[in-house]
Amino acid sequence: VSLEMGKIFVEGVGEVQEYVDVCDYAVGLSRMIGGPILPSERPGHALIEQWNPVGLVGIITAFNFPVAVYGWNSAIAMICGNACLWKGAPTTSLISVAVTKIIAKVLEDNKVPGAICSLVCGGADIGTAMAKDERMDLLSFTGSTKVGKQVALMVQERFGRSLLELGGNNAIIVFEDADLNLVIPSALFAAVGTAGQRCTTARRLFLHESIHDEVVAKLAKAYAQVRIGDPWDSETLYGPLHTKAAVKMFLDAVEQAKQQGGSVVCGGKVINRPGNYVEPTIVTGLPHNAPIVHTETFAPILYVLKFKEEDEVFAWNNEVKQGLSSSIFTKDLGRIFRWLGPKGSDCGIVNVNIPTSGAEIGGAFGGEKHTGGGRESGSDSWKLYMRRSTCTINYSKDLPLAQGIKFQ
């Protein structure tokens, strides 16, 4: 993972651990999958829900989590009784091959064909073929909103089923009563972790006007202490971007931010060393609705914005097209429950006093709006990998009809 994706070593280990953890979770879940037994209005009848495998699950994953996202999908898909066909990102094929070899060995050691979890390597042409193929009973796609929309339309055209995990433009909101000892490391990790290449990366930081300057100063000081270096070095906290194209995207975004009225507090440049290294960047002074603020740039750029009132900042959190992850920092109990409620965050992940990134496998992962609406991993996400049948069994000698209809 460190070699091919560029993620720092400790995050690479953490990602593999996540696959191990979701396997443990799935094994337990395999003994708990069941449908309800419902009361029938007809005497001598039983009404039950039966869940069966969908069949073949196609899994298309992105470069930024080249192990864990496949782990979520494949582990749950398998305990639901499905076979899997995986297409990883073209730039992380070695990881895909290594993972598939491990899985195949485990399956074959347990007298099950390794082909239950098959792999295909390739680019957009392979993804298109998977999306259009009617033999693909479910297609799980993780990637950009732009490509996800194309995938969804291709799958829908054949009345297939899709699970979409797309972009995020995530916000952290810090109120005047927040514990800044929690805020600074949280904002740092959420914005700089994985060099800003998580779908849950914090891209917008809303600070109450009374603490804005203090937090910016402390955060800039923390940014200056980030240890940048070789991802294989255990001391490194921040590695390179994945590709040269990402470096260009970073530079373009910084330039647009300046043109739209932003001030670069720290960072904003390419680091002069081998590899795709850029400086982690903080930009202040932009309005909440600046075009660049509403653009998900997959790079370590944090836009810091001022607010006055709770209502306005909740609305600003929700005004972007994506709806993945969101966080507030406050000690106000009423505000916390307003944030969790119908007039609060419209995201699939809604946090309090923790950062936007670092989701646990036990909760359903995914988001709303242009994030795609999909859910993976915990809770009842297993239902997406199965088909439901409502079954009625007549164990009497009579034939009563529902709704009391008489047909004689």
Side-chain angles (χ1 to χ4, degrees):
V1 173
S2 292
L3 172 68
E4 199 170 29
M5 185 272 157
K7 190 174 290 190
I8 64 170
F9 189 81
V10 68
E11 283 193 289
V13 171
E15 188 177 342
V16 175
Q17 183 64 49
E18 197 166 334
Y19 197 164
V20 174
D21 291 347
V22 83
C23 285
D24 282 345
Y25 178 88
V27 168
L29 179 63
S30 70
R31 294 180 179 270
M32 295 187 288
I33 287 176
I37 300 171
L38 304 164
S40 174
E41 66 183 69
R42 290 171 281 185
H45 286 58
L47 191 60
I48 66 173
E49 281 188 0
Q50 172 73 25
W51 292 85
N52 291 304
V54 293
L56 176 61
V57 177
I59 304 166
I60 300 175
T61 60
F63 75 87
N64 61 332
F65 278 85
V67 175
V69 172
Y70 178 62
W72 295 349
N73 281 274
S74 61
I76 305 297
M78 279 194 284
I79 61 100
C80 291
N82 301 297
C84 302
L85 178 63
W86 179 24
K87 189 192 93 67
T91 52
T92 56
S93 296
L94 294 179
I95 296 167
S96 301
V97 170
V99 170
T100 299
K101 284 188 172 184
I102 293 169
I103 298 168
K105 184 178 187 306
V106 172
L107 291 172
E108 288 161 3
D109 285 350
N110 286 276
K111 308 296 186 289
V112 178
I116 282 173
C117 283
S118 293
L119 170 71
V120 59
C121 293
D125 55 333
I126 304 295
T128 298
M130 291 173 69
K132 290 184 175 180
D133 197 317
E134 293 197 354
R135 295 171 295 178
M136 206 70 60
D137 297 291
L138 168 67
L139 186 65
S140 173
F141 174 84
T142 302
S144 70
T145 297
K146 180 184 175 183
V147 177
K149 184 177 181 180
Q150 295 169 355
V151 168
L153 290 171
M154 285 186 276
V155 174
Q156 181 57 44
E157 194 171 34
R158 61 177 176 84
F159 289 103
R161 191 190 297 193
S162 61
L163 192 169
L164 302 174
E165 293 287 355
L166 310 178
N169 192 345
N170 315 296
I172 293 175
I173 301 170
V174 183
F175 287 91
E176 63 274 20
D177 64 340
D179 182 347
L180 297 189
N181 291 325
L182 294 177
V183 169
I184 303 304
S186 293
L188 180 72
F189 172 68
V192 170
T194 325
Q197 297 169 113
R198 290 178 179 236
C199 51
T200 53
T201 291
R203 311 204 179 277
R204 299 175 294 151
L205 177 62
F206 292 107
L207 301 175
H208 190 268
E209 59 182 9
S210 64
I211 57 169
H212 176 275
D213 294 350
E214 179 187 359
V215 173
V216 170
K218 287 184 174 181
L219 198 55
K221 186 177 179 182
Y223 266 53
Q225 297 171 37
V226 172
R227 296 187 299 275
I228 300 170
D230 185 334
W232 277 0
D233 186 338
S234 60
E235 295 297 307
T236 298
L237 289 179
Y238 176 91
L241 292 179
H242 185 52
T243 61
K244 287 190 169 22
V247 175
K248 183 180 184 305
M249 187 170 60
F250 165 84
L251 290 172
D252 289 347
V254 171
E255 191 56 40
Q256 288 178 53
K258 290 177 183 175
Q259 290 172 3
Q260 292 169 27
S263 300
V264 176
V265 172
C266 62
K269 303 186 189 72
V270 172
I271 298 173
N272 184 22
R273 60 175 292 160
N276 305 316
Y277 286 85
V278 300
E279 295 174 341
T281 301
I282 298 173
V283 177
T284 60
L286 286 164
H288 66 93
N289 56 355
I292 192 61
V293 174
H294 281 228
T295 303
E296 183 196 18
T297 303
F298 228 58
I301 305 173
L302 182 66
Y303 304 111
V304 182
L305 311 148
K306 278 185 190 178
F307 75 92
K308 292 182 180 180
E309 303 293 337
E310 176 187 303
D311 288 350
E312 71 176 359
V313 78
F314 283 8
W316 293 351
N317 175 77
N318 297 345
E319 70 182 356
V320 297
K321 290 186 175 180
Q322 302 89 346
L324 180 52
S325 187
S326 54
S327 301
I328 62 166
F329 284 79
T330 184
K331 298 188 185 82
D332 186 323
L333 193 59
R335 180 181 289 138
I336 289 169
F337 279 93
R338 288 191 293 275
W339 172 243
L340 304 179
K343 293 184 178 179
S345 173
D346 65 358
C347 295
I349 299 169
V350 184
N351 295 330
V352 178
N353 295 330
I354 63 167
T356 53
S357 53
E360 294 185 33
I361 62 162
F365 180 90
E368 301 298 327
K369 304 187 299 190
H370 285 216
T371 301
R375 293 295 186 275
E376 292 172 337
S377 195
S379 185
D380 64 349
S381 300
W382 60 268
K383 292 180 178 178
L384 294 164
Y385 302 85
M386 305 194 82
R387 57 179 179 83
R388 181 198 326 229
S389 303
T390 301
C391 310
T392 307
I393 302 164
N394 180 3
Y395 57 89
S396 75
K397 295 183 178 179
D398 299 317
L399 196 64
L401 300 176
Q403 291 80 50
I405 294 172
K406 303 294 182 184
F407 191 77
Q408 294 173 333

